[in-house]
Structures are given as C-alpha cells and as structure tokens.
C-alpha cells in the first residue's frame, strides 16, 4: 500500500481557481474523505491525484515518488466512479477479472484473485450471474471488486454510493468501512454527504471554494470546528451561532451575550471589539428553569429517540436536542443552559475559530 502526499496543489480553469494551495498527507492505510458541497473542488483534487487532470502548480507524491506528471496508467491507483460502467454482456466473474485479463495475467491466477475478491465482498454466490439483472448494491460490489482485484497501491472513490437509494447506501457505508478494515488500502473518498464521511473516514478534509478549511479526524472537525463554515456544514442540525459585539482578552473565561454572562473555555487570543459568535451544538443545550439565557419556544421536531426544539433568544434562534418526553408549549419562555466546556467562539469577520483551551486540546491530541 502507499502514502499519498499532496503539496501546494492548485488548479486553474482559465481565470477560475478550482483548487487553491491544497496540502495534505494520506498515510499508508488511511481513509481520507474529501467533503464539501457541489463545486468546491473535490473531484478536481481527486482527478489530479489519479493523473486524469494536470495541476497548474504543486506536487503529488506516491510513496515519496513525484508522480505529478506521470500518466494515470503509470500510477498504480484504482479509481471507482459513481456510475461505474460494468460490461453488460459479461457475467460478474468476467467483469471483476477484466482488468487482470487486460494486464495479461495468467488465467489460473485471474481465477484465484477473482474468487478471493468475491469472498472479500461476499459476492461469491453471484459470480456466474449476468451483471444486467443485479440490484444496485451488488452492481456496486462488482465495481469495487474490479478495483480491488488489481491490488492497487491506493483507491480513489468519487461519490461511489451516489446513485444508491438511502437504505442501500447505509448498508454500503458499513460494508465499505468493513472492507477498509480488512484490506487497509490507502483511500481517498469524495463525498458531499457528511454522514458518509463521519461514518467511514479516519480523516476528513472539509473543502470550501477550492480551499481545505479543516483537515482532521471526524471528532476534531465535529468538536473543534476551525471555522463557522465547518461548524455549519458538519452536524445535523448544524452548530448554533449566537452573535454578539465584544472585544476579547486572553485568559477570559466569561463572555456576555447582551447582559447574560456565559462561561466559555479559556480564551487564548486578543480581539478588538467587533462581532463575535458563540458556537454551541444542539446536544450541548439543556432546558433549565434557572438559566439566565432565555427565549421563547418556536417549534419542535420529534425524532423518536429525542427531539430538536427551536428557541428564539435575543441573540438568535437556538436549536436544542432534548429528551423526546420533555414537555413544553409553543411560545413558552424557557431557560437555556449551555455546556461551557464545549463552546466555540468565532470571529465573524474572518469566520475563523478564536483559539481557546478547547482548541489547544486538539493540538495536543
Ligand atoms: P461536484 O460534486 O458537483 O462534482 P466538486 O466539489 O467535485 O463538485 P469539481 O467537480 O472539482 O467540484 O469542480 C470544481 C469547480 O471547477 C466547479 O465550479 C466546476 O464547474 C469547475 N470545473 C471543473 N472541471 C472544469 C473544467 N474542465 N473546465 C472548467 N471548469 C471546471
């Protein structure tokens, strides 16, 4: 297997910058998700790693070898697309074995590797079936088989589950992660779906307009978002932002939302007066009769195991994830208690997180 290193990668299409100064390393055996909305440069990044697109500048290294200008076929990388075209006139066995046949591998070896791959994907029982009658999930497994059978140095996957219905998608997310646990292939996986990225990846690169806003473990990007963009993109519902005007002193452990004092992780920065946002995840908001932060219940969404209640405060709407059996009435004034250990602060002008003891924990692991 292999390590992929991307250094200051940039791609221009005419005047338009699709990928800007991207640098990251996918360690041997690691699963990286490139996550972001449509048009943020995920596929372009992946295509440059694959050798299907030449970068405008920057470098791509595979196991320390500079492959930036190598052709795709010289990179020993398998690419799995969303709409992977299987050969309809061939059965499953022949579809999986085809890449080996075109490489001139001996028939007995092809047979052995196809059967090994089919066992890994649990599709041994359909090897002699025609691909045309297969359900979506099995077709995707065959497509994966065709990638795995070559034993490439790494896998690049571009929204491979994009065409599956929600139920199958969930099954395949689980299967892909299981497969990764078994073969430990270095993988770069493009998706716009935060659930897929969070469930499968060891590391996530959250992209925005061609820039990697944050690169970290799922826990880091969720618990310590580097920017309001990441905090908003990850989480369902996303992080709440309560805006307020203030300066900040290093060492501060309290901020004031209007006249309400709120304890926060120790601030490690100085800020001139300006607009700030307090960031809080819905699960870190509790109803409390005595809490000084108050608002009126606006609505609720029942989710079975819990419910999301929207509360209108003077600083904006706050969504709270509270027990499903908690009773309240629409319009009722409630107190909101925020878990002070989990709060983020953002500078609204730059959108970046303000350094604090919460983020210092991230740097020290
Ligand atoms: P999607 O999931 O929609 O493909 P993405 O994050 O993968 O989104 P890219 O496909 O990498 O985004 O595209 C990034 C930007 O670059 C888009 O604005 C796209 O229109 C533009 N782009 C991509 N390929 C080309 C091209 N060959 N010529 C001009 N612009 C391009």
């Amino acid at each position: 297997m292999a390590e992929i290193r991307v250094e200051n990668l940039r791609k221009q299409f005419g005047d338009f910058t699709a990928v800007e100064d991207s640098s990251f390393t996918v360690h041997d055996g690691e699963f990286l998700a490139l996550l972001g909305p449509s048009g943020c440069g995920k596929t372009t990044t992946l295509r440059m790693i694959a050798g299907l697109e030449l970068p405008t500048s920057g470098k791509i290294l595979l196991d320390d070898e500079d492959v930036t200008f190598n052709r795709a076929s010289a990179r020993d990388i398998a690419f799995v697309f969303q709409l992977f075209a299987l050969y309809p006139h061939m059965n499953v066995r022949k579809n999986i074995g085809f890449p080996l046949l075109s490489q001139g591998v001996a028939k007995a070896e092809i047979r052995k590797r196809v059967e090994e791959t089919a066992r890994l994907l649990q599709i041994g029982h359909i090897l002699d079936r025609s691909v045309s009658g297969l359900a979506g999930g099995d077709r995707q497994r065959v497509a994966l088989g065709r990638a795995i059978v070559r034993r490439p140095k790494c896998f690049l996957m571009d929204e491979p589950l994009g065409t599956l219905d929600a139920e199958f998608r969930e099954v395949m997310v689980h299967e892909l992660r299981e497969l990764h646990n078994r073969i430990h292939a270095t993988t770069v996986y493009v998706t716009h779906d935060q659930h897929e990225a969070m469930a499968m990846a060891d590391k996530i690169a959250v992209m925005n307009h061609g820039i990697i806003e944050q690169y970290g473990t799922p826990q880091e990007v969720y618990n310590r978002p580097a920017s309001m963009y990441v905090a908003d993109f990850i989480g369902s519902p996303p992080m709440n932002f309560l805006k307020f005007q203030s300066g900040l002193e290093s060492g501060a452990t309290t901020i004031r939302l209007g006249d309400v004092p709120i304890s926060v992780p120790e601030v490690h920065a100085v800020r001139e007066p300006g607009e700030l946002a307090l960031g809080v995840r819905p699960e870190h908001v509790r109803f409390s009769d005595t809490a000084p932060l108050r608002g009126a219940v606006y609505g609720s969404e029942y989710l079975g195991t819990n419910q999301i209640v929207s509360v209108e405060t003077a600083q904006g709407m706050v969504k709270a994830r509270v027990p499903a059996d908690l009773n309240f009435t629409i319009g009722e004034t409630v107190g909101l208690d925020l878990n002070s250990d989990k709060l983020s602060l953002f500078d609204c002008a730059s959108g970046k997180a303000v350094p604090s003891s919460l983020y210092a924990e991230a740097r020290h692991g």
Side-chain angles (χ1 to χ4, degrees), residues 13 16 18 36-45 53 158-159 190 192:
F13 292 110
F16 178 73
S38 181
C40 71
K42 309 180 293 292
T43 297
T44 305
T45 303
E53 197 82 69
D158 193 356
E159 306 257 10
V190 159
H192 65 275

Side-chain angles (χ1 to χ4, degrees), residues 193-235:
D193 183 322
Q194 54 160 315
H195 299 290
E196 281 183 20
M198 297 291 274
M200 282 193 278
D202 299 311
K203 298 272 174 60
I204 299 178
V206 187
M207 292 191 71
N208 179 21
H209 293 303
I211 291 171
I212 295 181
E213 289 252 340
Q214 188 167 5
Y215 186 93
T217 63
Q219 290 78 5
E220 279 162 4
V221 295
Y222 187 81
N223 294 322
R224 303 173 187 104
S227 64
M228 293 173 86
Y229 173 83
V230 174
D232 187 56
F233 194 80
I234 306 250

Side-chain angles (χ1 to χ4, degrees), residues 31-67:
F31 191 124
L32 167 72
L34 289 178
L35 174 68
S38 181
C40 71
K42 309 180 293 292
T43 297
T44 305
T45 303
L46 203 69
R47 286 174 58 81
M48 288 192 280
I49 298 173
L52 300 171
E53 197 82 69
L54 263 186
T56 307
S57 58
K59 267 192 198 172
I60 297 159
L61 296 106
L62 263 187
D63 272 341
D64 290 331
E65 183 196 349
D66 187 343
V67 297

Side-chain angles (χ1 to χ4, degrees), residues 76-151:
D76 200 8
I77 282 175
F79 205 118
V80 182
F81 293 96
Q82 181 179 4
L83 294 170
F84 200 102
L86 299 175
Y87 300 114
H89 57 286
M90 291 183 194
N91 65 13
V92 170
R93 184 186 296 278
K94 288 201 169 132
N95 263 283
I96 296 179
F98 191 76
L100 299 182
L101 191 70
S102 23
Q103 281 175 3
V105 176
K107 280 211 168 121
E109 175 68 11
I110 295 180
R111 191 173 181 85
K112 188 174 134 236
R113 276 166 62 180
V114 166
E115 286 177 1
E116 216 174 75
T117 303
R119 257 198 312 280
L120 206 58
L121 292 164
Q122 291 156 2
I123 51 173
H125 59 292
I126 58 165
L127 271 180
D128 296 312
R129 292 246 303 266
S130 154
V131 293
S132 45
L134 296 181
D138 282 339
R139 290 179 71 83
Q140 206 66 43
R141 287 183 196 106
V142 177
L144 279 172
R146 205 150 81 171
I148 293 168
V149 80
R150 279 178 41 206
R151 298 182 187 153

Side-chain angles (χ1 to χ4, degrees), residues 5 11 15 26 38 61 78 91 96 259 281 324 334 337 341 353 363:
R5 204 157 83 235
K11 180 67 187 179
D15 289 344
V26 195
S38 181
L61 296 106
N91 65 13
I96 296 179
D259 50 9
R281 295 261 177 224
V334 294
D337 188 30
D341 295 337
R363 278 201 300 279

